[in-house]
Amino acid sequence: MYKRILLAYDGSQSGQKALLDCQDLAQWSQAELALVAVLPINIGLVSTEGGVYDSDMMESEKAGMQAVLDEGLSRLQAAGHQASGTLLIGDTVDEITGYAKKIDADLIVVGHKHLDGWAARWWKSSISKALIAHAHCSVLVVIIR
């Protein structure tokens, strides 16, 4: 079945549900687990007319995202899984799909929360939808309501 599963983890409620589902799937298929967290490249930009890069903000966000990644890895290890973890920086979809190709993942797992109202769905782009469109392998979208 699956040999390598990549979990895109952000620590959110849907991400935590995906982590739980991923554990079960990995145990069932005896797959290797890789956990990634992605820090968007534009996080250190302060919106001004000229655009200013704030390295302190970037380092703070990087440390926060590393803590989220470490927490996810700890949860997997506490459940008896061996997993690797990598913090990626860049466009979320490009980084996840690129890393999945790099490790030759058979499956990408990502959490998704349905947004209420058409305006919220229109305004916020769907990472899971973009992953399905761009991934070289299967994508499992774990949905919470």
Side-chain angles (χ1 to χ4, degrees), residues 6-10 12 14-15 36-42 65 90-97 108-115 120-135 139-143:
L6 175 65
L7 172 62
Y9 187 66
D10 63 1
S12 66
S14 61
V36 296
V38 182
L39 181 64
I41 193 73
N42 61 353
M65 192 56 85
D91 175 76
T92 304
V93 173
D94 291 343
E95 292 298 323
I96 293 169
T97 56
I108 298 171
V109 179
V110 63
H112 177 80
K113 182 174 183 348
H114 285 304
L115 299 173
R121 288 189 301 273
W122 173 79
W123 183 255
K124 184 169 170 49
S125 64
S126 172
I127 298 296
S128 53
K129 188 161 103 175
L131 281 173
I132 292 167
H134 294 95
V139 178
L140 172 63
V141 180
V142 178
I143 298 174

Side-chain angles (χ1 to χ4, degrees), residues 25-123:
L25 189 56
Q27 187 169 359
W28 175 71
S29 64
Q30 297 179 347
E32 294 175 27
L33 281 174
L35 198 62
V36 296
V38 182
L39 181 64
I41 193 73
N42 61 353
I43 202 75
L45 292 177
V46 177
S47 258
T48 63
E49 201 168 299
V52 176
Y53 179 76
D54 184 346
S55 62
D56 290 339
M57 179 187 289
M58 182 65 164
E59 287 304 314
S60 173
E61 291 295 323
K62 191 174 178 182
M65 192 56 85
Q66 184 65 52
V68 166
L69 181 64
D70 292 344
E71 178 266 329
L73 281 170
S74 293
R75 290 179 68 180
L76 288 173
Q77 291 165 352
H81 298 282
Q82 288 195 338
S84 62
T86 305
L87 177 61
L88 306 170
I89 300 173
D91 175 76
T92 304
V93 173
D94 291 343
E95 292 298 323
I96 293 169
T97 56
Y99 195 78
K101 282 181 187 175
K102 180 181 175 181
I103 67 166
D104 196 26
D106 305 300
L107 178 67
I108 298 171
V109 179
V110 63
H112 177 80
K113 182 174 183 348
H114 285 304
L115 299 173
D116 295 330
W118 68 270
R121 288 189 301 273
W122 173 79
W123 183 255

